[in-house]
Amino acid sequence: MKRRWLLALVATTSLPAQPIAFAQDADTAPRPPSRPLVISPDSPRASLETFLNLARRGAYDAAGAYLDAPDIDGAARATRARQLKAVLDRRLWVDLDDVSPLGSGNSTDGLGANIDQLGTIASSMGSRIPVRLVKTIDGGEARWRFSRTTMQSIPDWYASLGDRWIMDHIPLALQRSGPFDMQWWQWLALPLVLSVAVAVGWAGSRVLQAVAQRVTRRTIATWDDTMLERLAPPITVACTLMVVAVAVPLLGLNQPAADAAYRLVRAALVVVAFWAIWRLIDVARRLVARSAWASHTAGSRSLLPLGVRSAKVAVSAVAAVSVLSLLGYPVASLIAGLGLGGLALALAAQKTVENVFGAFSIGIDQPFREGDFVKIEDFVGTVEAIGLRSTRFRTLDRTLVTIPNGRLADMRLESFTARDRLRLATVIGLVYETTGDQMREALAGFEAVLRAHPKIWPDAVVVRFREFAASSLDIEIMAWFRTADWGEFQTIRQEILLSFMHVVETAGTAFAYPTHTIHVASSTSTMPSRDADVAIPR
């Protein structure tokens, strides 16, 4: 039963113009028969199609037979057929599907029997003159021909064409139709027109840029110079497209080809406009990065790259929708289809959405920024790029580690770049032979060395005798230096430690080294004896 219903549905969809009806019983469901369109050989559509095909092949003598002009000889009739084809291509593009396929013509247009109207064309006086077909009988053969009124108007219509001087001087072979119903001379002229358009557009853009530079050089700001530099390529392409739009009428294209050309030019101009916006986003980024807000906002270094990437993605999406709309694609249906599939897309892209939100959380919370040196659980490296999906780190081995932002938001992060100062923490051990005076001299010398350094942070300098260790007298030293550069800190640490060695030598003591004591018991005597203590350095 279900199969029969499916067959009935498929059968009815082949004729969408007819109403679809289903009976309650599938066995009695109507099955409309296939009704192929029958074009009568003596119909207006058949005559018009034959005329156009002959004219496309350059057979104007044969095409002249479809003109109702008994008082005109063959050569003049062929000329009129050529002129009529040019006029129809540029002023009245007829869709054959709109022409009656019946031998009697269209009986609902109110023109009476044996007369069909294809449309109207404006004359040189501004009035609209109809283009009609009339049914004639010639030698017992019925044929639809262009009416005598239409024939009388052809010279006036043809004289108003802007490219008629070209068609009057080029060979008839080049006036034959090629791909997309464009004549061969138009195809040959197209590369030349594009080359001239590129040259003129380039020259015009240079003139515009020179004038704009004279204006921007008078201003104190530098952002306008940068903007003009970034907009130079889009301006050149826009000037070229404008020259192409001006040159299209010179080619004398038929209406569909001309409409397609203008549509492509408009779409290209939209692309250029969004391309310019794309490049201006980088200019805006530089301007914001140099602003007072960026200098006082710690999160600007991470928020700016994310904002720029998001803006470029939005510009690309809007540009794609705009171009598709200009090219005639059903953008509304596409957006509606995306809306219907939004739930499935959201379920399938949970990780992607999570990573995107993770990117913005990183930009807002600022655990690190691009260029920071950080530790991420089991590795250390430099933050190379914070993307919308993942973040890349360059390790000390110069390898590249990529971590999704959603996972990164839950990991333990430690930023070394965020330090405002670096800490020196060490323990110095002196030998047990060190006297009290020597210890006091060493402590004072260590602290003097630290406080004398120009990079020291003087609020917290710790130099204390900590404990009597197993093999040394330990001194705890801790100090902070006002630098965030690890290389500079290593140099400072080296200078401080070398100064500590000089202090120890001046105090008359020495650094301790680890030792341990071994108790040696005598094995030759049965009586308990006193053990010998031997200190052996480790």
Side-chain angles (χ1 to χ4, degrees):
M1 181 68 69
K2 293 182 178 180
R3 183 177 181 182
R4 294 180 179 178
W5 274 98
L6 180 59
L7 291 175
L9 178 61
V10 172
T12 53
T13 54
S14 62
L15 293 173
Q18 299 179 357
I20 301 176
F22 294 100
Q24 296 296 327
D25 189 357
D27 295 331
T28 60
R31 297 182 181 180
S34 177
R35 297 179 181 177
L37 181 63
V38 178
I39 302 176
S40 176
D42 61 344
S43 64
R45 182 185 299 189
S47 297
L48 179 60
E49 184 176 6
T50 304
F51 169 79
L52 295 176
N53 290 335
L54 291 172
R56 291 188 182 104
R57 297 198 303 266
Y60 296 112
D61 292 335
Y66 290 86
L67 305 179
D68 189 11
D71 53 342
I72 300 178
D73 58 11
R77 187 179 299 179
T79 301
R80 291 287 180 90
R82 179 178 63 83
Q83 295 176 349
L84 178 60
K85 175 62 167 57
V87 171
L88 292 178
D89 286 345
R90 292 154 181 79
R91 299 295 175 85
L92 181 62
W93 185 264
V94 181
D95 189 355
L96 290 176
D97 292 336
D98 297 333
V99 183
S100 174
L102 304 177
S104 58
N106 187 1
S107 59
T108 62
D109 56 4
L111 296 177
N114 301 327
I115 299 177
D116 269 14
Q117 182 169 312
L118 302 180
T120 60
I121 301 177
S123 66
S124 59
M125 303 301 294
S127 59
R128 306 293 300 185
I129 300 177
V131 179
R132 292 177 178 176
L133 295 174
V134 295
K135 189 174 184 179
T136 61
I137 306 297
D138 187 7
E141 179 185 1
R143 177 179 295 181
W144 287 81
R145 293 181 172 90
F146 288 93
S147 67
R148 296 187 181 184
T149 304
T150 302
M151 286 291 302
Q152 294 173 359
S153 303
I154 290 176
D156 180 68
W157 291 335
Y158 185 75
S160 63
L161 297 181
D163 61 330
R164 69 181 187 282
W165 61 273
I166 299 178
M167 293 182 291
D168 290 338
H169 293 85
I170 62 175
L172 293 178
L174 294 179
Q175 297 187 37
R176 296 179 181 177
S177 298
F180 301 102
D181 209 21
M182 289 175 54
Q183 297 179 4
W184 286 111
W185 73 267
Q186 295 171 340
W187 282 109
L188 294 176
L190 186 59
L192 178 61
V193 170
L194 293 178
S195 301
V196 173
V198 171
V200 175
W202 181 85
S205 66
R206 290 299 177 271
V207 173
L208 290 176
Q209 293 176 43
V211 174
Q213 285 178 356
R214 294 186 61 181
V215 176
T216 57
R217 287 173 181 173
R218 297 179 181 178
T219 61
I220 302 176
T222 60
W223 62 268
D224 51 356
D225 300 293
T226 305
M227 181 181 68
L228 182 60
E229 179 183 357
R230 294 289 295 171
L231 290 180
I235 290 175
T236 302
V237 178
C239 291
T240 302
L241 291 174
M242 293 175 66
V243 175
V244 171
V246 173
V248 166
L250 300 178
L251 291 175
L253 301 177
N254 56 59
Q255 286 187 359
D259 293 341
Y262 285 122
R263 192 180 301 114
L264 289 175
V265 170
R266 288 195 297 269
L269 285 174
V270 170
V271 172
V272 171
F274 282 102
W275 182 25
I277 296 174
W278 177 288
R279 296 176 73 89
L280 286 178
I281 291 175
D282 295 328
V283 178
R285 175 184 180 178
R286 297 178 186 177
L287 189 62
V288 173
R290 297 173 184 174
S291 64
W293 172 83
S295 60
H296 292 88
T297 304
S300 61
R301 286 180 53 189
S302 295
L303 288 175
L304 277 178
L306 286 176
V308 168
R309 295 189 185 99
S310 301
K312 288 186 175 181
V313 170
V315 168
S316 301
V318 176
V321 172
S322 301
V323 171
L324 290 176
S325 178
L326 284 175
L327 293 178
Y329 289 93
V331 178
S333 300
L334 178 62
I335 296 176
L338 292 177
L340 293 176
L343 179 60
L345 179 63
L347 294 175
Q350 288 182 5
K351 290 296 182 181
T352 301
V353 176
E354 178 184 354
N355 293 329
V356 171
F357 279 98
F360 281 98
S361 66
I362 291 174
I364 295 174
D365 294 341
Q366 292 297 300
F368 52 77
R369 295 171 291 184
E370 291 185 358
D372 287 1
F373 187 73
V374 298
K375 180 179 181 181
I376 309 293
E377 292 189 348
D378 57 346
F379 74 92
V380 294
T382 304
V383 182
E384 189 161 281
I386 302 175
L388 291 177
R389 194 200 69 85
S390 62
T391 301
R392 296 190 298 273
F393 301 90
R394 182 73 66 177
T395 66
L396 297 179
D397 295 328
R398 306 305 299 163
T399 60
L400 198 63
V401 177
T402 303
I403 301 178
N405 293 326
R407 178 187 171 196
L408 190 62
D410 297 330
M411 299 176 69
R412 182 179 180 272
L413 310 175
E414 183 177 357
S415 176
F416 297 106
T417 307
R419 297 180 294 189
D420 56 349
R421 52 184 179 269
L422 295 178
R423 181 172 67 101
L424 171 65
T426 185
V427 175
I428 296 178
L430 301 181
V431 295
Y432 262 94
E433 287 78 8
T434 302
T435 65
D437 293 336
Q438 291 174 333
M439 176 64 73
R440 292 186 181 90
E441 184 178 352
L443 292 174
F446 290 161
E447 185 169 355
V449 168
L450 291 173
R451 294 190 178 277
H453 198 279
K455 289 284 188 176
I456 193 67
W457 189 58
D459 294 344
V461 176
V462 177
V463 180
R464 298 290 186 270
F465 177 26
R466 189 174 73 176
E467 62 178 343
F468 295 94
S471 58
S472 62
L473 303 177
D474 290 346
I475 300 175
E476 181 182 13
I477 297 177
M478 187 166 56
W480 284 264
F481 294 90
R482 290 175 293 191
T483 179
D485 187 351
W486 178 251
E488 183 182 11
F489 173 73
Q490 288 178 313
T491 302
I492 295 173
R493 183 176 60 186
Q494 173 180 281
E495 295 173 356
I496 296 297
L497 294 180
L498 289 174
S499 300
F500 285 174
M501 293 179 64
H502 179 71
V503 169
V504 172
E505 293 172 0
T506 303
T509 181
F511 293 102
Y513 48 84
T515 61
H516 63 272
T517 302
I518 300 177
H519 299 278
V520 182
S522 175
S523 61
T524 58
S525 175
T526 59
M527 298 297 294
S529 62
R530 185 177 180 180
D531 296 338
D533 294 340
V534 181
I536 301 177
R538 291 186 293 178

